Amino acid sequence: MSQINDKILLTEKKNGVGIITLNRPDKLNSFNDELSFQLQDALKEMEKDKEVKAIILTGSGRGFCAGQDLQSRSIAQEMGQKPSLGDSIRRRYNPIVTKLRRMEKPIIAAVNGVAAGAGASLAFACDFRIITDKVAFIQSFTKVGLIPDSGATFILPRLIGATKAFDLMLSADKLTAQEAFDLGVINKVVDEADLMTTATALAERLAQGPTKAFALTKRAINKAIFDDLEELLEYEATLQEIAGRSEDFEEGVKAFVEKRPPQYKGK
Amino acid sequence: MRMTTTTMTYTNILVEKQETSPGSGIYIGLVALNRPSALNALNNHLMQELVEAMQAFDKDDTVRAIVLSGSERAFAAGADIKEMADETTVSIMSKDNFATWDRVKAVKKPIVAAVSGFALGGGCELMMMCDMIVASETAQFGQPEVNIGVIPGAGGTQRLTHALGKYKAMEIILTGRPMTANEALQAGLVNKVVPVELYLEEAKNLAIQIASKSPVATQLAKEAILKAFDGSLDDGLRFERKNFYMLFSSEDQKEGMKAFMEKRKAKFVGR
């Protein structure tokens, strides 16, 4: 698959709407270090930009975001030495989740394809989710011996209930577009061709609304269900640090790279 | 509408008086740090103006309480590092600029700090010299001096320790890390945390509430509470008792107790 652009993150601004596009289509827009830092910067800029009143987060190509790029250099390096997944999450993913929640502008995830691992977490951290009928969300973390991160351990249970969330996390089963819609965490399921027009129409409508009241409403919802956001993200990073030191994680990544089933020991 | 009057012109601060209710003749004094280009870094000139303004309010009988604020972005980001980067031990001791800071401590009227954004280093120390602290949800507190090879020099090691206790104060001062508004609230450093749109108004409301009491009583109470931070408990208790007895020579005590027995609101005259 050829890259349509050299840049791994695209931003544009139109009619009061900021659009951020993850742009590593040949890697299903999975995160390497660089992409996570660029996303942090893009969100910061759009928060500051007074002309941006609503934001769309989407991906290019056939995936939304496959989460951590397990083959990216940094993880390989981290594997070589003592891996510190906790620190990696604190530096790379947690600031993104914090910004998505704390920024007082509505953020729409326009989910164009599979959202796995941290990719699913980010979609769930947004305020709106508009998806195509081909989308699936996968809590893929436990497949490689990790815990769900980037807020998934508390955002998902708060959105769909702990029973279903725990099931999805341990099975790493796909949550299909229809199932997700039935669980009430999707605003709209549309045809692939209509995704961006639908998301843009919603964003432009929001941008023309009483944005101060929208901002205060988001603040109130954050207070009601995400007041402990920073504390729980930190706790999740600490637990991921533990999981990252396990033999199971080492085996999980090895098996993934070697494309064979992993042999876990539970430690 | 409340009356506000501008009293004097300063370069680094904005000073106003606000009447607590129309026609009451009772005011709160407002001082706002105003060096936006430097995130209200506290240089010597600013501190002199600040002390001057506070002392003027202290002498003004119509002013009953003072609100000290910065901007939404920064209460004060610290002392002015540029000003002292090249000092030596001898030169900085002989200039003794902190002597100006110490005069804030001598202000008799209650001071409410209205804090949003950064309250770091000298900014945090100035804030802790105030008597009450109302913070916005976006406020950040800390003593980052160790990051530049020094320690707090305007009371931080003492006042933060009084507020947080030894262990938390050690962590904050020795790591230099900032605290969020919620952490500061839980740790007992601030009185109240409110949305950023309202922090100044909340601080003024607190000051207005205090302004409705007898100023003789509120000032002697402030003095006695501050006494709790130096000397022994016995000294503090004796000091408190003395101030308590002293109030029985005020008209406000007679009026206050009489009004209480007659089940009406007291009219304090400030004598």
Side-chain angles (χ1 to χ4, degrees):
Chain A
M1 196 173 290
S2 66
Q3 299 236 151
I4 50 162
N5 199 307
D6 289 348
K7 292 183 180 165
I8 57 174
L9 190 90
L10 308 175
T11 58
E12 64 174 292
K13 208 171 76 175
K14 217 170 58 188
N15 302 329
V17 176
I19 302 177
I20 302 176
T21 308
L22 307 175
N23 191 37
R24 295 182 78 209
D26 53 331
K27 303 275 184 193
L28 291 173
N29 302 319
S30 60
F31 280 103
N32 54 14
D33 280 12
E34 193 49 30
L35 183 59
S36 48
F37 292 130
Q38 285 192 21
L39 179 56
Q40 288 179 17
D41 290 344
L43 289 169
K44 250 183 249 169
E45 267 166 44
M46 294 212 173
E47 180 179 37
K48 264 194 230 150
D49 191 334
K50 289 201 167 69
E51 285 171 28
V52 171
K53 299 183 190 306
I55 291 159
I56 297 173
L57 178 64
T58 189
S60 64
R62 64 195 172 88
F64 173 71
C65 174
Q68 172 63 38
D69 183 350
L70 286 174
Q71 285 169 319
S72 83
R73 229 166 51 112
S74 74
I75 274 282
Q77 282 171 341
E78 281 164 1
M79 282 301 297
Q81 306 139 15
K82 275 260 168 212
S84 177
L85 292 192
D87 284 349
S88 168
I89 287 165
R90 285 181 191 105
R91 276 187 301 118
R92 297 169 54 213
Y93 292 113
N94 286 359
I96 297 172
V97 178
T98 306
K99 197 51 88 186
L100 291 173
R101 288 308 326 151
R102 294 288 182 217
M103 184 193 322
E104 295 185 347
K105 298 178 182 183
I107 303 175
I108 301 162
V111 186
N112 53 302
V114 71
S121 306
L122 296 192
F124 290 124
C126 292
D127 300 303
F128 294 83
R129 276 159 293 281
I130 296 179
I131 71 174
T132 76
D133 46 11
K134 295 198 180 68
V135 161
F137 298 93
I138 312 171
Q139 294 293 308
S140 46
F141 302 90
T142 54
K143 275 199 218 166
V144 291
L146 292 180
I147 71 160
D149 64 30
S150 304
T153 57
F154 58 96
I155 295 176
L156 196 58
R158 285 174 192 185
L159 293 181
I160 66 172
T163 308
K164 184 71 186 168
F166 194 59
D167 182 350
L168 288 170
M169 289 169 186
L170 267 51
S171 67
D173 282 344
K174 282 183 182 173
L175 179 68
T176 64
Q178 186 59 48
E179 286 170 331
F181 184 80
D182 292 342
L183 285 168
V185 289
I186 302 301
N187 299 83
K188 221 170 203 177
V189 183
V190 296
D191 285 340
E192 211 170 340
D194 300 332
L195 180 68
M196 283 315 282
T197 44
T198 311
T200 307
L202 169 62
E204 286 179 356
R205 186 157 52 81
L206 292 170
Q208 284 161 18
T211 50
K212 184 68 188 177
F214 292 168
L216 295 173
T217 305
K218 183 163 176 177
R219 200 189 299 177
I221 285 199
N222 275 338
K223 183 85 180 166
I225 61 172
F226 295 118
D227 201 30
D228 47 6
L229 179 72
E230 288 80 1
E231 185 192 332
L232 288 177
L233 282 172
E234 171 57 31
Y235 191 64
E236 199 181 66
T238 304
L239 296 184
Q240 192 70 294
E241 173 69 25
I242 298 169
R245 292 179 190 179
S246 68
E247 290 176 29
D248 280 352
F249 172 55
E250 202 178 331
E251 165 63 9
V253 174
K254 230 189 217 165
F256 176 83
V257 174
E258 293 167 7
K259 299 189 198 309
R260 60 166 173 84
Q263 302 284 322
Y264 288 129
K265 294 180 192 156
K267 56 181 182 184
Chain B
M1 279 293 288
R2 283 168 183 149
M3 283 279 297
T4 57
T5 22
T6 307
T7 46
M8 260 192 76
T9 11
Y10 297 94
T11 336
N12 299 297
I13 58 173
L14 302 170
V15 179
E16 262 178 64
K17 280 169 69 174
Q18 179 180 312
E19 199 167 25
T20 56
S21 61
S24 69
I26 296 171
Y27 293 82
I28 56 172
L30 309 176
V31 182
L33 309 175
N34 188 33
R35 284 187 77 203
S37 59
L39 291 174
N40 292 333
L42 305 166
N43 65 11
N44 201 30
H45 188 209
L46 182 151
M47 286 307 296
Q48 279 168 355
E49 290 187 346
L50 175 67
V51 166
E52 218 173 282
M54 292 224 175
Q55 285 176 341
F57 281 147
D58 232 5
K59 281 187 199 136
D60 183 339
D61 284 341
T62 65
V63 172
R64 300 289 171 83
I66 299 166
V67 174
L68 175 63
S69 63
S71 67
E72 210 172 283
R73 201 158 156 235
F75 176 73
D80 199 325
I81 307 298
K82 272 188 222 146
E83 234 179 31
M84 57 176 121
D86 295 326
E87 300 285 1
T88 65
T89 296
V90 174
S91 69
I92 201 167
M93 277 177 67
S94 78
K95 281 183 190 160
D96 195 19
N97 286 339
F98 281 139
T100 313
W101 293 61
D102 294 339
R103 285 155 66 198
V104 177
K105 193 179 146 193
V107 174
K108 293 192 193 72
K109 289 179 183 167
I111 308 171
V112 181
V115 181
S116 179
F118 304 113
L120 301 175
C124 192
E125 290 173 298
L126 175 62
M127 173 194 92
M128 289 190 290
M129 291 175 145
C130 299
D131 303 308
M132 283 149 282
I133 299 163
V134 174
S136 84
E137 288 169 344
T138 60
Q140 262 188 51
F141 309 88
Q143 300 287 164
E145 287 86 351
V146 286
N147 295 333
I148 55 167
V150 289
I151 67 167
T157 63
Q158 305 304 298
R159 291 196 178 93
L160 195 68
T161 307
H162 281 309
L164 305 185
K166 171 185 158 188
Y167 305 102
K168 190 88 179 170
M170 285 279 184
E171 180 196 331
I172 295 303
I173 293 174
L174 271 50
T175 65
R177 78 162 173 90
M179 277 186 285
T180 64
N182 274 333
E183 188 182 0
L185 182 68
Q186 279 166 20
L189 181 59
V190 304
N191 295 74
K192 201 171 189 181
V193 175
V194 297
V196 62
E197 290 87 347
L198 296 175
Y199 79 99
L200 190 54
E201 199 176 314
E202 281 294 327
K204 287 182 188 174
N205 285 343
L206 191 54
I208 287 168
Q209 223 182 311
I210 292 161
S212 73
K213 315 299 175 192
S214 163
V216 198
T218 56
Q219 284 175 44
L220 288 184
K222 167 173 172 169
E223 189 190 28
I225 292 167
L226 289 177
K227 196 76 186 165
F229 292 104
D230 45 56
S232 65
L233 178 61
D234 274 345
D235 284 350
L237 290 172
R238 259 194 300 278
F239 191 86
E240 178 197 79
R241 194 65 45 84
K242 184 202 74 182
N243 277 5
F244 179 78
Y245 291 153
M246 219 156 72
L247 282 164
F248 284 76
S249 63
S250 73
E251 287 174 36
D252 281 352
Q253 175 268 327
K254 301 279 171 297
E255 161 64 9
M257 291 192 172
K258 204 163 159 230
F260 175 81
M261 288 184 295
E262 292 168 6
K263 299 187 198 301
R264 59 173 175 83
K265 204 168 180 306
K267 283 200 194 87
F268 294 120
V269 292
R271 289 188 295 275

